[in-house]
Amino acid sequence: MYNPTYTFIAVAIGAAVVFALFAFYYAARTGQLQNLEEGSKVIFDEKEPVGQPTDAFPGAQPGTVPAKSDSTKS
Amino acid sequence: MNRMPLLLTGIFLTFFSAWLGLVAMPYIHLGRFKPQVDDVTREETPPPFSGEALQGATIYAANGCIYCHSQQVRPLEAGADLERGWGARRTVARDYMRDKVAYFGTSRTGPDLSNIGARQPSAEWHYQHLYQPQVVSKGSIMPAFKFLFEKRRISGQPSADAIKMQPPDEAEPGWEIVPTREGKQLVAYLLSLKRSTYPLPEAPEETPAK
Amino acid sequence: MAALAEAQPAKPSLADSIDPSTTESLKYKAERAAIDRSLRGPVLCFIGGAIFWLLLGSLFALIASIKMNVPGFLGDSAFLTFGRVRPAHLNAVGYGWGAQIAMAVGLWLMARLCRIEVRHGGLLYMAFGLFNAGVMIGILAILGGQGTSVEWLEFPTYAALVVFAGFALVAIWAVIMFRFRQPGHVYVSQWYILAAFFWFPWLYATANMVIFILPVQAAVQGPVNWWYGHNALGLFFTPIALATAYYMIPKVIGRPVHSYYLSILGFWSLAFFYSWNGMHHLIGGPFPAWLISASVVASIMMVVPVITTGINHHFTMVGHFNALRWSPTLRFTVFGAMCYTLSSLQGSSMAIRSVNQVTHFTHYTIGHAHLGLYGFFTMIMFGAIYYIVPRLVEWEWPSASLIRWHFWLSAIGVSAMFIVLSIGGLFQGFALEDPKISFLTSTNYANAFLWMRSISGIALTAAHIIFASSFALILLHAGVVRRRPTLLDRPA
């Protein structure tokens, strides 16, 4: 059951692979694969810097367990 | 990585490749079956559904039979389907060319129904079973489909299509239980399910070793 | 702060809100609190709508589950027959809850990461209305006997179109936000969200088109159905939940993700392999071998992104496990991340033909689905809600014990459900594979375990009720604020 569309699909997939390889090469050339780890810091800033926890149970300071005496039920 | 065109192209291409492979390819490969025509009798396999049976398929869908029943017979090497007597051979893609929507199914809380029309050819059996599954199949957890039936007072002659039930499901004296139009359509559909009872060149019969 | 506000154009027109090149807005860097405020209305609506469907979906689930134990339960009405309640459950939790909460969390994360305020948020209310109307119409249609019985696509076309319109509007808004983003690195979460919002409409449109609107021969519908069904999970729910985990874990403990490099590898391998999944739902079915094999291979290759992501999350947590004691968000998120690894590895194993042969048509698959969509996706979404809502309403959660109850009931409930369905499914599967055992015996094997499934379902429903009450209370600003909560980050 030969069907010319198969050829088209095969060529399309081949082209996609070639394109992907090229894109990767381009990304590497333009320095986009350098300093990768920088990206992980963008979610922090001066107000919520690295090292500062930002969540807690109600009634506690972020980064601490609410004290037993602190009635957490309101 | 900050070049957005690159990211977007990647997002597009990965998906597009799969779309070609898993949507376009099956379409080309499985989308244009023609029936097998017998040289002598001009009979077509698979045979077309009757109008009533096609209606019945929508009743099958509306009531979610698919959540317990499959309609596919796996080949010998891929399961015990044939040994359970659910078909004479595996089902192949062409067996479904007459369906508007095929209910292949993913669950076998109930048995496979690909060939139920051949296995249970009696309409009466199906009516009794749908009305109260436990009657014909003790211990069944299939729900009763009483809403596909109507209980009505007999006026004059009892209807020819009234179903006979045993107590406690029996109708009170002077009353009868008859399938509604939907009920009849559904049973017409079930009776026409004989997907792998006829041979196709691409699917020879398989006999399970005893 | 004042200077910043001046830099923002007074009242943007719709065109300004859509096309960044027409405005000066790129110079304007929004404060985190201001971003949250701009999203408050729409995101709270989406969260509220999602919780509504979660509750309703749990109710459907309970009814369906009890019907498996007692077939006669609520048996005589057509609306509540098993075959209608079960798809009503799936669609209520899959679209009403799942897709909706994914949109809420996706939008919020996108705005935060792009550091811009959302504009013309009014259109998002419209999206909210459309989406929920669509789901409501769809569920009523299913109960009324108009469902299609094509799994994951049970909504009749008229409902699907409305759902699609609502979803598309949100997706477009997310993309627009992305175009307005502040210059700088694009965080990996943004990739996932962008991709998810791009992939899902395409998936949904293709599947509805091919199966219902311009129907193809039935044999093609099977592959398209499962290409959609699996990729809705893999290319929509999964990326949104991973985006959330990639944001919440580092943010809560205050430590950048262990390896950004791994996160990039994880993203591309997921995009590449997950998109080819789905056909392994058809193993043994009436389809050509090459088609199924393609997905089997892709499914097993999913080990790559899963291990990558798992390692990355784990090493980010190393040394901070005590944070699980003080952060509600982290508890849910880490539980979800663990379930991701587990359910994905299980999924890969289930694509192996010999395993699939036993598990395919059994409750084992249903256990797997709950591990993925509940243990992984839903738990991460719960975590995100615990983080987001206080920042939107500028109020603390009213009660720590409600949160603890919610967590433990959910965690234990879903674990129990997964375990009993898996064991019951295996019994059922091995019995089905042995033709000497009568068919009904296989059903009965499973049913012994389905009772326990109903009980675990009650635990989950209780968790949801507790969660919904917490949500209602925080909206009402119940409780006292015992201190100036730093986590609310009020503008000075």
Side-chain angles (χ1 to χ4, degrees), chain C residues 30-53:
Chain C
E31 283 276 325
R32 206 180 283 109
I35 299 171
D36 288 346
R37 212 168 303 125
S38 77
L39 273 169
R40 175 191 295 155
V43 169
L44 281 179
C45 277
F46 278 116
I47 295 178
I51 294 177
F52 167 77
W53 288 112

Side-chain angles (χ1 to χ4, degrees), chain A residues 3 5-6 9 19 26-27 32, chain B residues 2-3 9 13 25 28-29:
Chain A
N3 187 319
T5 325
Y6 286 151
I9 289 181
F19 186 88
Y26 165 80
Q32 296 190 42
Chain B
N2 289 306
R3 302 290 156 90
T9 321
L13 278 184
M25 287 283 268
I28 295 163
H29 206 90

Side-chain angles (χ1 to χ4, degrees), chain B residues 14-15 17-19 21-23, chain C residues 203 222-235 238 269-282 291-303 305-306 343-352 368:
Chain B
T14 44
F15 191 76
S17 75
W19 186 86
L22 303 183
V23 177
Chain C
L203 274 163
V224 174
N225 184 187
W226 286 110
W227 173 74
Y228 172 78
H230 204 93
N231 283 352
L233 177 75
L235 297 182
T238 301
S269 50
L270 177 126
F272 190 70
F273 293 127
Y274 231 149
S275 52
W276 279 85
N277 270 239
M279 303 305 122
H280 53 298
H281 287 254
L282 304 170
L291 184 65
I292 293 168
S293 301
S295 278
V296 171
V297 173
S299 186
I300 292 170
M301 290 306 286
M302 274 306 291
V303 170
V306 169
S343 80
S344 302
L345 294 181
Q346 187 200 19
S348 296
S349 77
M350 287 163 72
I352 299 168
H368 172 62

Side-chain angles (χ1 to χ4, degrees), chain C residues 454-467:
Chain C
S454 296
I455 293 169
S456 63
I458 291 173
L460 292 182
T461 312
H464 302 156
I465 292 173
I466 291 172
F467 173 53

Side-chain angles (χ1 to χ4, degrees), chain B residues 1-2 4 6-12 14-23 25-34 58 60-68 70-81 83-84 86 90-112 134 137-147, chain C residues 67-68 71 75-78 81-84 86-87 142 145-151 154 178 181 184-186 191 194-195 198-199 202-203 206 210-212 216-224 226-227 231 235 264 267-268 271-272 275-277 279 282-288 290-291 294-295 356-357 360-363 428 431-435 437-440 443-444 447:
Chain B
M1 273 260 252
N2 289 306
M4 274 317 104
L6 224 52
L7 174 58
L8 294 180
T9 321
I11 290 176
F12 174 80
T14 44
F15 191 76
F16 185 61
S17 75
W19 186 86
L20 283 177
L22 303 183
V23 177
M25 287 283 268
Y27 176 68
I28 295 163
H29 206 90
L30 306 170
R32 305 174 204 164
F33 284 112
K34 298 210 171 42
T58 65
Y60 188 87
N63 294 302
C65 312
I66 190 184
Y67 299 103
C68 290
S70 60
Q71 285 189 33
Q72 51 177 307
V73 181
R74 293 181 292 179
L76 258 190
E77 71 275 9
D81 303 14
E83 283 136 291
R84 285 201 173 274
W86 286 343
R90 67 170 303 180
T91 51
V92 291
R94 184 145 56 141
D95 296 330
Y96 301 85
M97 61 165 283
R98 302 290 190 180
D99 296 74
K100 274 224 182 80
V101 179
Y103 303 108
F104 299 106
T106 50
S107 166
R108 283 184 176 164
T109 299
D112 187 86
Q134 274 95 336
S137 176
K138 214 170 144 31
S140 173
I141 61 155
M142 174 157 148
F145 290 91
K146 293 200 175 136
F147 54 86
Chain C
K67 275 168 176 287
M68 284 296 239
D76 287 339
S77 75
T81 185
F82 176 82
R84 296 189 190 180
R86 184 193 179 287
I142 291 172
Q146 304 254 312
T148 64
S149 272
V150 174
E151 282 182 84
E154 281 96 346
F178 188 69
R181 72 191 178 277
H185 263 287
V186 176
W191 302 18
L194 196 65
F198 176 76
W199 285 328
W202 189 348
L203 274 163
T206 303
V210 170
I211 302 182
F212 303 114
V216 294
Q217 273 197 358
V220 192
Q221 295 168 4
V224 174
W226 286 110
W227 173 74
N231 283 352
L235 297 182
I264 292 175
F267 176 80
W268 287 114
F272 190 70
S275 52
W276 279 85
N277 270 239
M279 303 305 122
L282 304 170
I283 291 177
F287 305 97
W290 60 263
L291 184 65
S295 278
N356 186 277
Q357 180 169 341
H360 188 156
F361 295 103
T362 70
H363 292 284
Q428 184 193 8
L432 274 173
E433 280 311 287
D434 182 349
I437 298 180
S438 83
F439 180 84
L440 267 180
T443 314
N444 288 340
N447 272 35

